Amino acid sequence: MTWRSVRLKHQYRVIDCRAGMDQPPLLAVSIHHGVVPRDSLTDKLPRAEDLSHYKVCLPGDIVLNRMRAFQGAIGISPVRGLVSPDYLVMRPNRDTDARYLHHLFRSHWFVGEMISRLRGIGGTESGSVRTPRINSEDLGDISVPLPALEEQRRIADFLDAESAQIDRLVESQQQISAKLTERRVAGVIAAVTGAHHPDRRRSGLAWSATLPGDWKEVRLGLVARMGSGHTPSRSHPEWWIDCTIPWITTGEVSQVRDDRREEITETREKISELGLENSSAELCPAGTVVLCRTASAGYSAVMGTEMATSQDFVTWICGPRLDPYYLLWCLRAMRQDLLGRLAMGSTHKTIYVPDLQMLRIPLPGLAEQRRIVEEIRDQNRDIDRLADAVKRQIALLVERRQALTTAAVTGQLDVTTARPTHN
């Protein structure tokens, strides 16, 4: 088997056929992670004044998103369609198999070549930030190993079959992961609503139909003191010197987004004693429960030490009848209700303070609250262990697909003797 080193620009033509109003109806095409998903094929066309900037692609053309190609946004168009100016349209020559080029472009080796040629990182003269992208000329100058057309097709057939099999395995693992997430959420709701209690009564809560007969149901404000945060004025730079007080902002939501972590102990930003004194921010004790009510609405945590918060959060300092960690898991159990019933706004959801002041929670005795918290921790620990194993399996499958692709398109793997992936 003979391989030769060629420059990519000799293996395809860059197509720059522009769309016009007199052309037959087309489908808009976009590429996500190497495939053309069904929902990216649409009859919705750009505005008439923008249409001339769009390019026409034919079935079998390779379309490449210049800004996201190194993230896998490369695919073969199945239709005659339109692509935006951010895409390159490449039509392979007769001695080049489109499927082979597609696999080559998505190989680990080739992605590295693209990343080294990205342009546009940094600022422009106007001060805006350019999005890094691969230029057509730089892409075409990459030298690649290329076998004869018959071998290209053999490699493409092998990688198509292997990728499809691995994708099926990945999908099955993702379904398991989704089921585990559902089980985790359901377990939390069951625990904080006493699902194991046989004697039940109708609940007045919007997110739970019934509660144990001997549990109370109270307005949260009766068992915890509610507060809110603030941001010291940025127009007073002296208030932002010697900042030592941990200050929770929406940036901390990433720490608790998966609900695995209960406490926040470190913050990205801090405020000063002077800033605290000259704002409505409040220094709250360790054990205070916080809930984000704006951009990342619905996520909650417990302060692991004394902290203040921005105005994006509400706080509850629990009284003697309420365990803060039980409240935390109640808030997490009711998240979907909070977002669906109380959150306002189409783009950025906001939960308003008056609505939060009216929140009601189930309230068993303090000893049972603490038992429930331990029950939740135990069941989550087991589920998270399984979820981590599934995540590792998915990563291994993706790694195998990448390794097979790179080895096959660089001539390191003889596909005629390679062992297939099995279920």
Side-chain angles (χ1 to χ4, degrees), residues 290-312:
V290 298
L291 174 76
C292 186
R293 62 177 195 85
T294 58
S296 297
Y299 291 95
S300 50
V302 176
M303 291 183 182
T305 185
E306 281 190 331
M307 294 180 170
T309 76
S310 71
Q311 63 274 15
D312 301 293

Side-chain angles (χ1 to χ4, degrees), residues 60-73:
D61 284 349
I62 295 176
V63 289
L64 177 150
N65 187 312
R66 295 190 298 141
M67 294 181 292
R68 296 193 297 113
F70 64 95
Q71 297 173 328

Side-chain angles (χ1 to χ4, degrees), residues 362-376:
L363 191 71
L366 194 59
E368 185 158 13
Q369 292 177 38
R370 289 169 178 164
R371 184 195 60 75
I372 288 171
V373 170
E374 289 305 317
E375 176 189 334
I376 290 172

